[in-house]
Amino acid sequence: MAFFAPSVTDETDAAFSFLTQQCTQLKLTARGLTDEQSVSTPTTSSASIKGLIAHVAQVINGWLKQVENPDRVVPFEEFPAINAELGLEGMFDSSAVPDLNIAEVVEIFERVITGIDEVRQTVVDTGVDLGAVSATPPNPWMPQDFVMSVRWILLHLNTEVARHVGHADIIRESIDGAIAYQLNAEADGEPWPPEGMDDWS
């Protein structure tokens, strides 16, 4: 079941495997939703499932470019072109949503997830050191008083995506009551609830 990350062999494998797993969990929060449901905001937050997926797609895509090339900071002004390459025109903060239906946004996100594995392979093939110091982007929300490494970027991505998965879980449960275990089981073609589940209570 994709709810669990696979077994890992080393630090690099763990960083990328858990990132892929968390992204898969975010993608599954959109499973079976109509476009109207995907932009709904049933909690007091302005975040929606579609907005969260679009936001995380852009965040991952931008940071992974720096993982591939730690010596180069991607200037903020390049992000519109980078986002356009993804098919996401504009910037999304989880409340703003792209002018695309949810199936199109999920398809873009699936390409981003595939890109995680491609960057993993680049890191392995080129011997990128997770401890390699990376220049800190000059964005106003980034602290400028610490040393940022490739390891920090990957751990930051894991924590940021996991936080947004939690947001999406709450939104999805508020829409139709579906929970992560259920969505994973359905995606894997397994019955829900599983046989014998009543015995656990």
Side-chain angles (χ1 to χ4, degrees):
M1 179 180 281
F3 188 83
F4 297 98
S7 298
V8 296
T9 57
D10 56 30
E11 185 182 11
T12 299
D13 186 26
F16 283 100
S17 293
F18 274 83
L19 181 58
T20 298
Q21 184 266 350
Q22 285 297 305
C23 287
T24 300
Q25 295 309 298
L26 180 58
K27 181 186 79 169
L28 286 177
T29 63
R31 180 177 171 79
L33 292 183
T34 65
D35 202 51
E36 182 179 8
Q37 288 173 317
S38 77
V39 296
S40 66
T41 55
T43 70
T44 55
S45 168
S46 60
S48 68
I49 298 285
K50 186 192 288 187
L52 284 165
I53 292 174
H55 170 65
V56 171
Q58 291 183 329
V59 167
I60 291 173
N61 193 52
W63 275 115
L64 287 184
K65 292 186 182 305
Q66 195 158 345
V67 169
E68 287 183 292
N69 188 358
D71 295 330
R72 181 179 185 271
V73 172
V74 179
F76 188 70
E77 55 269 19
E78 288 186 18
F79 277 94
I82 291 171
N83 292 335
E85 290 174 8
L86 273 181
L88 291 171
E89 300 283 351
M91 296 291 288
F92 304 101
D93 62 357
S94 78
S95 57
V97 295
D99 188 21
L100 300 167
N101 63 43
I102 187 60
E104 291 169 323
V105 174
V106 168
E107 182 180 354
I108 289 168
F109 195 55
E110 287 173 340
R111 294 203 305 271
V112 171
I113 294 174
T114 299
I116 294 171
D117 198 52
E118 292 171 354
V119 173
R120 177 214 302 252
Q121 198 58 53
T122 297
V123 166
V124 171
D125 291 346
T126 61
V128 171
D129 177 10
L130 296 191
V133 174
S134 177
T136 304
N139 305 325
W141 55 84
M142 287 294 300
Q144 301 297 310
D145 59 349
F146 75 116
V147 176
M148 190 171 75
S149 65
V150 173
R151 176 182 291 106
W152 183 93
I153 293 172
L154 290 170
L155 293 176
H156 169 68
L157 280 176
N158 270 281
T159 56
E160 178 159 359
V161 175
R163 182 165 55 89
H164 288 317
V165 173
H167 295 160
D169 281 343
I170 292 169
I171 293 169
R172 179 61 194 258
E173 289 183 44
S174 300
I175 292 171
D176 63 2
I179 63 172
Y181 271 113
Q182 173 186 349
L183 295 169
N184 276 272
E186 291 173 353
D188 290 343
E190 298 174 357
W192 182 264
E195 185 177 349
M197 185 173 182
D198 290 342
D199 299 336
W200 301 352
S201 55

